[in-house]
Amino acid sequence: MILQTLIVAFVVSYIGSIPPGTINVSVMQLAILNKRRAAIFFAFAASAVEFIYAGVTVQFHIFLNNNEVIADYFRIITSVALIILGLSNIFSRSTSSSVKVSTKVTGRHGFLRGLLLGFLNPMTIPFWLAITTYLENDDWINVDQGYGFWMYLVGLSTGTFCLLLTVNALGKRFTKIADNQFIVHKVPGFLLLGLGVYFLLKLVL
């Protein structure tokens, strides 16, 4: 179960990091400017912040699970959140060119920039809270026992880091992916919408 938790976290994080945002577009633009070393530092820092945010998220998730009255209501909120996230992705029109970033970083300064932008991206907390609740309730992961908690955090952060390394390697070619509305918005959107509806039906029926 521990290995499964690690793999599932990695795959979900890798896919979930594809939609164009400040972090991955910054890495892409650094790569285009041939600042690949700075991009790697940047990616590592952003992934480290993801590890911290994910830790806070999972601890809150465990707290909710240990309070049944709150947990029952939160499962409903989680289902609705997944549906909203799905719909927002489906109707989103953002592309890599619509994300404004600064690329005036070199070497280790990329690390500091990655930390800054990572901490300024707290929206990862409600996203991972909803996803974590769904994954554990459907027995895809286990974050309550043994090393499950740490494996989940490692999976999420390494998934993000590997996606950013992929973006760095692709450089300008990533724009073709980032600007493809179907790949980066429609597919994840319908998946999240489907998960939300499925999760809600499980609670009601």
Side-chain angles (χ1 to χ4, degrees), residues 58-149:
V58 176
Q59 287 295 338
F60 185 52
H61 164 78
I62 294 172
F63 166 76
L64 290 172
N65 276 355
N66 291 332
N67 294 268
E68 282 301 321
V69 177
I70 300 176
D72 289 338
Y73 288 106
F74 186 74
R75 289 188 184 102
I76 297 175
I77 295 173
T78 299
S79 302
V80 174
L82 285 171
I83 292 172
I84 292 173
L85 283 171
L87 291 174
S88 66
N89 266 277
I90 291 171
F91 294 106
S92 175
R93 295 185 178 278
S94 65
T95 63
S96 61
S97 60
S98 67
V99 180
K100 305 301 181 183
V101 296
S102 172
T103 55
K104 296 179 180 179
V105 290
T106 57
R108 65 178 180 275
H109 296 110
F111 182 83
L112 298 176
R113 185 71 179 175
L115 286 178
L116 177 61
L117 291 184
F119 279 116
L120 292 176
N121 189 34
M123 286 306 293
T124 55
I125 293 179
F127 174 77
W128 287 124
L129 190 57
I131 295 298
T132 301
T133 301
Y134 169 79
L135 291 174
E136 186 162 64
N137 276 276
D138 242 36
D139 294 324
W140 283 95
I141 62 171
N142 188 332
V143 297
D144 291 324
Q145 298 179 1
Y147 294 100
F149 172 80

Side-chain angles (χ1 to χ4, degrees), residues 8 18 143 166 192 202 204:
V8 169
I18 293 175
V143 297
T166 303
L192 290 170
K202 282 190 65 177
V204 175

